[in-house]
Amino acid sequence: RMREVAAFKASAEAISEESRQEIEEYAAYLGMDPVKDQHLLWVAEMALTAPLPQHWSEHHDANGNIFFYNSETLASTYEHPLDNTFRHYCAKIRHAAK
């Protein structure tokens, strides 16, 4: 797991400006401050590229919006199934740094 984290941190340094903007927007969506939490942007990048958990699949609604469907529970959501996991992870890291 530590190797994955190190790889994400390294890749965050070599991303395009467009990708950086997307990561900063997603960081804000996850509850981070993209300026104050620069050191945590790698978490937002990890969240953006995270694979879906087992039984989840990505679909588009009639308006072209992405939603996620769980074939086991029959649940669907417009929020990535791991968003709350990454929100809690960021909060945990911030708390540990204090």
Side-chain angles (χ1 to χ4, degrees):
R1 185 86 180 139
M2 294 304 283
R3 261 189 256 146
E4 291 175 7
V5 169
F8 274 105
K9 284 182 178 180
S11 68
E13 296 172 3
I15 57 175
S16 71
E17 183 59 35
E18 185 177 307
S19 294
R20 184 158 194 82
Q21 182 177 353
E22 181 182 16
I23 290 168
E24 288 175 354
E25 289 172 2
Y26 203 71
Y29 172 74
L30 291 174
M32 289 185 244
D33 180 323
V35 175
K36 292 180 184 175
D37 295 327
Q38 284 281 318
H39 63 290
L40 296 176
L41 290 181
W42 62 271
V43 177
E45 182 182 7
M46 185 182 276
L48 275 170
T49 60
L52 290 169
Q54 187 175 6
H55 304 294
W56 285 94
S57 54
E58 184 177 306
H59 303 274
H60 291 87
D61 67 15
N63 295 320
N65 300 308
I66 295 173
F67 73 94
F68 303 94
Y69 174 73
N70 184 309
S71 61
E72 185 173 83
T73 65
L74 307 181
S76 62
T77 179
Y78 283 95
E79 187 171 282
H80 191 286
L82 295 177
D83 282 350
N84 280 332
T85 301
F86 282 104
R87 279 189 194 99
H88 293 324
Y89 185 59
C90 288
K92 186 176 181 178
I93 292 172
R94 266 194 249 113
H95 181 71
K98 291 183 179 182

